[in-house]
Amino acid sequence: MLGLSNGARVARIAIAIALALTVAACSQNRNGPGAGATNVVPGSAQEFVVNVGDRVFFTTDSSQLTDVSKATLQRQAQWLLQYPRYTFTMEGHADERGTREYNIALGARRAAVTRDYLISLGIPANRMRTVSYGKERPVAVCDNASCWNQNRRAVTVLDNATN
Amino acid sequence: MVDLTGECALMAVSKIGRTGGMHMITRAGSGRLVRALTRRLAAGLAAMLVAIAVLAGGAHQAHAVLEVDVTRGVVQPLPVALVDFSGVQPDEVKVGQDIVQVITADLRNSGLFAPIDPAAFIERAIDFEGQPQFANWKVINAQALVNGRITRQPDGRLQVEFRLWDVTAGQHMTGSKYFTAPANWRRVAHIIADAIYERLTGESGYFDTRVVFVEESGPKDKRVKRLAIMDQDGANLRYLSSGRDLVLTPRFSPTSQEITYMSYATGTPQVYLFNIETGQTELVGAFQGMTFAPRFSPDGQRIIMSLQQDGNANIYAMDLRNGRTMRLTNTPAIDTSPSYAPDGRRIVFTSDRSGVEQIYVMGADGSNPQRISFGEGKYSTPVWSPRGDYIAFTKQAGGRFAIGVMRPDGSGERILTEGYHNEGPTWAPNGRVLMFFRDVPGAGGGSQLWSVDITGYNERRLQTPAWASDPAWSPLIK
């Protein structure tokens, strides 16, 4: 569905979760790219996830990009312009504290806002598609704000990533 | 379909057609009897039925309402004795016991009846051709009595007969005879339970119905979701999809054996039609973009849904006969969860055009949208009652999720249940009971199906083998 092999997808998710958990520990900095691994292959999906940051987060009910999110997306745009071989899917997500259908639309709105910002930074629209998962694909599954904050997100998923 | 025929055996029950029509029970004149019975019961049993009143007046005859006033304390269910249906052959006896078990469970689960433990019965069997010894039933406080008979026919079908008696008055109330293939004995039981419910409450029943829902398995961050269907009492569960694709929000057609739902099968979430009998799936419409939140119109000819266009979701109706679509909302907001009024002339939906989710009502052509929810918090998932009198919704306030109802003009809001997370009400076809799902929080948690009476009484969990969400109640089975 996303053009990724299962293995690649699982690996990517594992990295993303590890990153999310690490970053969640420092409360105000979770949009940041984390510690920044140095031994990743330049131009790889791993580099995108670990060093650039593949996701931005939203506050409750909001689809506005924060300054931190904009900084992340500026790094994404720079990287995506440097590696034009990638197309990608912008996934919009909501936390579980909403109703199913509304959250599907909210995830779509978050994906659209994020996509539009990348377009404004020079990424061609035909390199990306959007999809919303609403509250169907949480990355963190506890029942308090520390998890919900990680789930309200837009994730830039590279389609033809091979690592 | 089901080989199920009945005939007018005594009174008030019309023939059940093989092909057509509803399980019609002739209502002419019965409203008066019901009211009379209810009044008599109320007079004779003030404590029993103190909170039950029936709307008076000829204009309301067709909708005689069992009005349970939640402000007046606990409603006492009506004591009813159900005697195992008699039979001669062992298989007849067995079916007679099984059918009565299902009827008993239906009536008990409605919260309106208290089946009496058979251990208390003085009479064990009643001659089906004769009259019960009413004194034997009065003494154990039975108000109503049900007996019946099973007779296997030469062609292998079962003949199932039942009779309902008013114990205090010593009178026969209703009865009927059905012919069915032995495999359909559960349906006959539900149909009889509906007939009893209808005769004693003046309302149509809801036991001969099914529920379509989403079964959930696997870890919370990688849930596998499958469409599933079962009888309203949880029996006969079967799966309609494999779990390969993420599927959400199934809803029944009011007129055919079809459901509409949303699936990620192609990667782009879209609305589909699924035929329960043939297993065929069909994409609904040729929209560019994500479609979701589908529901049928009351005549089954249209599907109404949301189409995502960039950051906005708008509501569209599609005519299933000719594929024509009509755009009904046009705002830079999320407009979703549309649901028709039972007359098809108005639509209730969720919109965040005011900033947060609220409930709006508009004409079926999109005209004159009016906000109807004004309480504190967010309102979503509105569903119009099949009776037309209420709109059920999910309300989020103070970090809690409640299920409630309000009148179509927004007045009379009542919360029926409240907690960490309750969502997605669906109406029983008689508009008296709601089903919804409730989340057990936490990493190992999940959703479960619950039902509650629109008075807020009789909250019950419907057992399912795994986590379950997005229930949708069928109309009465045809």
Side-chain angles (χ1 to χ4, degrees):
Chain A
M1 179 191 306
L2 296 169
L4 288 180
S5 73
N6 273 346
R9 185 171 161 76
V10 168
R12 183 181 56 71
I13 288 170
I15 292 165
I17 289 172
L19 176 68
L21 292 175
T22 312
V23 174
C26 28
S27 59
Q28 290 307 311
N29 193 31
R30 62 175 59 94
N31 287 48
T38 51
N39 58 343
V40 296
V41 181
S44 68
Q46 189 190 10
E47 184 190 52
F48 184 73
V49 171
V50 176
N51 287 355
V52 176
D54 68 340
R55 60 196 59 203
V56 296
F57 300 95
F58 298 87
T59 57
T60 300
D61 278 341
S62 171
S63 48
Q64 286 196 340
L65 296 172
T66 62
D67 289 343
V68 177
S69 297
K70 286 178 179 171
T72 303
L73 294 173
Q74 286 158 14
R75 286 195 306 276
Q76 286 190 7
Q78 197 176 14
W79 192 92
L80 290 163
L81 288 169
Q82 192 179 348
Y83 301 103
R85 66 177 181 273
Y86 288 107
T87 60
F88 58 95
T89 300
M90 184 60 69
E91 290 183 0
H93 298 267
D95 67 27
E96 68 187 71
R97 303 307 282 160
T99 50
R100 192 174 319 285
E101 290 172 344
Y102 182 80
N103 275 10
I104 288 169
L106 183 58
R109 186 192 265 167
R110 286 172 175 161
V113 164
T114 310
R115 177 202 60 191
D116 290 349
Y117 191 67
L118 288 179
I119 290 172
S120 78
L121 296 174
I123 307 297
N126 64 9
R127 285 182 67 188
M128 53 184 134
R129 60 183 282 270
T130 60
V131 66
S132 173
Y133 285 97
K135 61 176 174 176
E136 304 307 313
R137 289 290 179 262
V139 290
V141 295
C142 69
D143 55 0
N144 62 54
S146 70
C147 287
W148 306 332
N149 292 344
Q150 298 172 61
N151 292 334
R152 293 187 304 269
R153 67 202 193 275
V155 185
T156 304
V157 179
L158 303 179
D159 289 333
N160 34 359
T162 53
N163 279 324
Chain B
M1 287 233 9
V2 179
D3 173 21
L4 187 63
T5 54
E7 62 185 43
C8 188
L10 292 158
M11 55 176 284
V13 179
S14 68
K15 190 175 182 104
I16 299 174
R18 284 177 59 109
T19 52
M22 300 273 297
H23 169 222
M24 283 290 294
I25 297 195
T26 308
R27 301 298 305 265
S30 68
R32 193 165 41 237
L33 287 168
V34 168
R35 282 203 302 280
L37 172 79
T38 309
R39 271 201 302 272
R40 190 194 51 69
L41 286 172
L45 290 158
M48 290 293 181
L49 291 172
V50 66
I52 297 177
V54 174
L55 288 183
H60 292 288
Q61 180 151 326
H63 319 267
V65 176
L66 184 68
E67 194 88 343
V68 184
D69 184 344
V70 294
T71 64
R72 288 209 199 154
V74 176
V75 175
Q76 292 295 321
L78 183 79
V80 53
L82 295 119
V83 184
D84 284 345
F85 289 7
S86 63
V88 177
Q89 302 301 324
D91 63 326
E92 294 169 342
V93 172
K94 172 73 163 56
V95 172
Q97 292 167 346
D98 292 345
I99 284 179
V100 168
Q101 257 183 29
V102 169
I103 299 171
T104 300
D106 281 349
L107 295 179
R108 179 184 290 120
N109 291 344
S110 76
L112 300 176
F113 301 92
I116 295 168
D117 181 353
F121 292 177
I122 295 165
E123 257 184 286
R124 288 283 157 181
I126 296 170
D127 175 13
F128 190 78
E129 298 298 341
Q131 277 216 345
Q133 298 298 313
F134 291 111
N136 288 342
W137 301 100
K138 269 183 204 158
V139 82
I140 61 167
N141 290 323
Q143 298 300 307
L145 169 66
V146 177
N147 69 323
R149 177 168 66 182
I150 310 291
T151 318
R152 186 179 284 281
Q153 301 299 108
D155 63 6
R157 290 188 306 162
L158 296 178
Q159 174 187 283
V160 182
E161 298 165 280
F162 86 96
R163 289 180 182 178
L164 171 66
W165 305 88
D166 178 340
V167 171
T168 310
Q171 281 176 357
H172 179 260
M173 292 186 74
T174 190
S176 193
K177 176 157 66 177
Y178 308 91
F179 294 96
T180 183
N184 294 327
W185 66 270
R186 289 192 76 94
R187 272 207 67 193
V188 175
H190 291 309
I191 287 169
I192 292 171
D194 279 334
I196 294 166
Y197 179 98
E198 170 146 0
R199 191 64 188 80
L200 290 174
T201 68
E203 309 223 353
S204 63
Y206 59 91
F207 303 123
D208 186 27
T209 56
R210 291 186 282 181
V211 176
V212 63
F213 64 101
V214 172
E215 188 193 80
E216 306 190 13
S217 58
K220 211 171 187 178
D221 57 350
K222 294 187 192 66
R223 269 290 201 262
V224 172
K225 295 200 171 191
R226 289 198 285 177
L227 296 178
I229 191 169
M230 62 187 175
D231 297 349
Q232 56 75 30
D233 61 354
N236 292 322
L237 181 126
R238 67 186 175 99
Y239 298 99
L240 305 178
S241 74
S242 68
R244 187 193 61 184
D245 304 314
L246 177 59
V247 290
L248 303 171
T249 65
R251 275 87 192 238
F252 269 102
S253 164
T255 56
S256 65
Q257 291 297 313
E258 287 179 307
I259 58 172
T260 181
Y261 66 103
M262 188 253 230
S263 169
Y264 283 72
T266 64
T268 298
Q270 284 175 304
V271 169
Y272 293 83
L273 258 184
F274 178 83
N275 187 306
I276 296 169
E277 285 171 343
T278 66
Q280 291 206 315
T281 302
E282 185 184 333
L283 183 65
V284 174
F287 295 99
Q288 290 295 313
M290 173 174 77
T291 50
F292 61 108
R295 258 180 220 284
F296 284 93
S297 59
D299 64 4
Q301 303 285 10
R302 275 160 288 159
I303 287 179
I304 193 169
M305 69 198 118
S306 283
L307 170 66
Q308 191 72 31
Q309 294 159 307
D310 294 326
N312 305 332
N314 281 297
I315 295 172
Y316 283 72
M318 193 187 108
D319 193 314
L320 292 171
R321 292 161 296 191
N322 55 30
R324 277 195 209 117
T325 58
M326 181 160 75
R327 181 173 180 157
L328 303 181
T329 67
N330 189 357
T331 64
I334 292 171
D335 297 327
T336 191
S337 301
S339 168
Y340 279 98
D343 65 4
R345 295 165 69 172
R346 286 184 292 169
I347 292 164
V348 64
F349 64 101
T350 302
S351 177
D352 67 358
R353 60 187 66 179
S354 73
V356 298
E357 301 131 272
Q358 297 292 345
I359 298 176
Y360 294 74
V361 170
M362 64 182 173
D365 59 357
S367 60
N368 195 26
Q370 299 284 330
R371 179 172 162 182
I372 64 163
S373 63
F374 290 96
E376 199 176 323
K378 298 186 280 188
Y379 294 79
S380 57
T381 79
V383 193
W384 216 304
S385 163
R387 303 159 74 105
D389 53 353
Y390 284 112
I391 287 163
F393 54 82
T394 305
K395 179 177 183 174
Q396 303 168 57
R400 313 272 286 177
F401 284 57
I403 302 293
V405 293
M406 62 173 70
R407 299 208 173 272
D409 64 1
S411 66
E413 177 179 331
R414 281 190 292 123
I415 296 303
L416 306 182
T417 189
E418 186 270 348
Y420 172 74
H421 193 113
N422 300 284
E423 181 180 342
T426 178
W427 290 96
N430 71 353
R432 296 293 310 177
V433 183
L434 286 163
M435 195 176 292
F436 56 96
F437 68 94
R438 170 175 294 170
D439 281 358
V440 176
S447 306
Q448 299 174 331
L449 304 187
W450 287 76
S451 65
V452 66
D453 198 272
I454 59 162
T455 59
Y457 278 109
N458 195 34
E459 195 170 295
R460 294 182 59 250
R461 183 176 161 216
L462 184 56
Q463 298 291 331
T464 50
W467 301 121
S469 59
D470 292 2
W473 218 312
S474 81
L476 280 174
I477 298 174
K478 300 188 174 80

